[in-house]
Amino acid sequence: MSTDQPARPDAPPAAVMPGLAQQPLLAKALATTGSPAFIADYRGQIVWVNQAFVALSGYAESELLGMPASILRDGKRDPGHYAQAWRTVQRGHELRNEVVDAHRNGTPYTVEEIITPLCDEHGVITHFFVIRHDVTQRSQRSEHIQHLADHDELTGLLNRTKFRRELSAAIVQAGLNQQLLATLFVDLDHFKPVNDTLGHHVGDLLLETVANRLRGAVRNGDVIARCGGDEFAVLLKEMPDALMAVSLANKLLAALARPFILQHHKVQVSASIGVAIYPQDGADARTLLIKADRAMYDVKHNGGNGVRTCPHC
């Protein structure tokens, strides 16, 4: 639970706050339960914590009491999420929520929480009871699975499917901002002989090194993917003109033309690069990908080691 500038609500609450002093058994159960829990007043300031919550947050009880619950935020999530959650509980509704907070040492952790508004005998909200469950490991596993689904296992670059989604989203943004973008297809020349003569392990090492050189040659914000085999794709965003795409393509060409030293083997390859520009060469991801691919194959059929734009394919 995290709040900003809270105001006392007038909506009827979902539950009546128990008198802990009159209910010692309940107080003891809350204090000793293994589930992290805390109580905040109607302003969102913490007035009670149990030891499980102290252990989860890393803060001492004395540090937490009197502090706003927003002290727990990791600072990375959209503030609008917390504002919406606060409005919900202010209206007297119980809220089930998943948030990322930060341990006192700065380490983020993910929790599922249930926030229950508590009221006095007149039906006025006085406090909020929050009970939590640490789901950090589950969240990390989910993120890892999603990473595997979106990325090439060998190089760590995006895969073809994720690249296409990124391209589609970038086209929408470029249309709104009236900007140009470019799609580049990069295919290595003479890759098969490397596999055939030096072995697939050296071929894999070459692909990993190629990926690193591509990363080093593009700008921050540009997107790189391995589409399969020895073929890569690059998305160049926010270009002032089409000439920049050709300039960056030639920069990639030069980066890949330098010899590779792989397990004491000197390997020389080149690349065939096709370029398609939005919006002049296509207004959707499928069209741009087809035209960039066609331009790349025209280079390859003419000996490779070059750059070709779509109007020439």
Side-chain angles (χ1 to χ4, degrees):
M1 175 181 175
S2 300
T3 63
D4 286 313
Q5 300 180 342
R8 189 170 186 171
D10 297 323
V16 176
M17 182 178 179
L20 295 183
Q22 287 72 41
Q23 300 186 44
L25 183 60
L26 177 57
K28 182 178 180 180
L30 289 174
T32 59
T33 180
S35 297
F38 69 93
I39 295 175
D41 65 16
Y42 68 90
R43 298 169 299 175
Q45 292 184 340
I46 297 172
V47 298
W48 174 87
V49 296
N50 67 2
Q51 287 305 303
F53 183 76
V54 168
L56 176 66
S57 69
Y59 290 91
E61 180 179 355
S62 59
E63 293 177 297
L64 291 166
L65 296 180
M67 295 298 293
S70 58
I71 193 177
L72 305 169
R73 294 182 187 176
D74 75 337
K76 297 179 181 179
R77 191 158 189 177
D78 178 12
H81 171 84
Y82 297 106
Q84 179 60 44
W86 181 238
R87 287 192 294 269
T88 298
V89 295
Q90 277 185 313
R91 297 187 187 104
H93 301 297
E94 183 177 86
L95 176 69
R96 294 175 181 269
N97 197 20
E98 183 174 299
V99 296
V100 180
D101 281 350
H103 189 275
R104 195 180 191 281
N105 64 16
T107 303
Y109 60 93
T110 304
V111 295
E112 287 182 343
E113 64 179 12
I114 301 175
I115 306 174
T116 303
L118 306 173
C119 69
D120 61 18
E121 64 274 16
H122 304 294
V124 177
I125 293 176
T126 60
H127 295 79
F128 301 96
F129 176 62
V130 184
I131 189 164
R132 293 182 149 191
H133 176 55
D134 186 359
V135 294
T136 303
Q137 290 186 348
R138 187 189 72 187
S139 178
Q140 289 173 342
R141 285 195 298 270
S142 177
E143 290 175 1
H144 180 64
I145 292 170
Q146 187 60 54
H147 180 86
L148 293 177
D150 292 339
H151 292 77
D152 171 58
E153 184 176 0
L154 177 64
T155 64
L157 298 175
L158 298 186
N159 57 28
R160 180 188 290 269
T161 301
K162 179 63 173 177
F163 181 83
R164 185 163 183 159
R165 293 201 299 268
E166 290 283 330
L167 175 57
S168 295
I171 288 172
V172 172
Q173 192 63 44
L176 292 173
N177 297 334
Q178 296 185 326
Q179 293 174 327
L180 301 179
L181 63 78
T183 301
L184 279 56
F185 263 4
V186 182
D187 190 87
L188 299 183
D189 303 322
H190 317 300
F191 176 72
K192 188 175 183 300
V194 174
N195 269 338
D196 292 345
T197 60
L198 300 178
H200 288 282
H201 63 291
V202 176
D204 286 349
L205 186 57
L206 173 60
L207 293 173
E208 291 181 73
T209 311
V210 165
N212 289 333
R213 288 196 185 179
L214 293 176
R215 289 188 184 99
V218 301
R219 305 164 302 166
N220 289 335
D222 293 333
V223 179
I224 314 169
R226 181 187 176 206
C227 297
D230 60 344
E231 187 173 88
F232 298 82
V234 181
L235 167 59
L236 305 177
K237 303 179 181 179
E238 299 180 9
M239 298 189 309
D241 53 55
L243 291 177
M244 175 175 279
V246 176
S247 175
L248 286 170
N250 280 302
K251 184 179 179 181
L252 298 180
L253 200 69
L256 299 179
R258 301 196 309 270
F260 295 83
I261 306 301
L262 308 171
Q263 294 187 348
H264 308 295
H265 299 287
K266 182 178 180 179
V267 175
Q268 191 82 46
V269 296
S270 57
S272 300
I273 303 179
V275 181
I277 308 291
Y278 168 87
Q280 65 194 47
D281 297 327
D284 60 84
R286 180 176 180 275
T287 302
L288 290 175
L289 291 170
I290 288 174
K291 291 192 174 182
D293 189 53
R294 187 182 301 161
M296 179 271 291
Y297 273 107
D298 276 1
V299 177
K300 189 165 288 290
H301 292 159
N302 284 278
N305 192 30
V307 174
R308 183 156 298 184
T309 56
C310 195
H312 300 98
C313 63

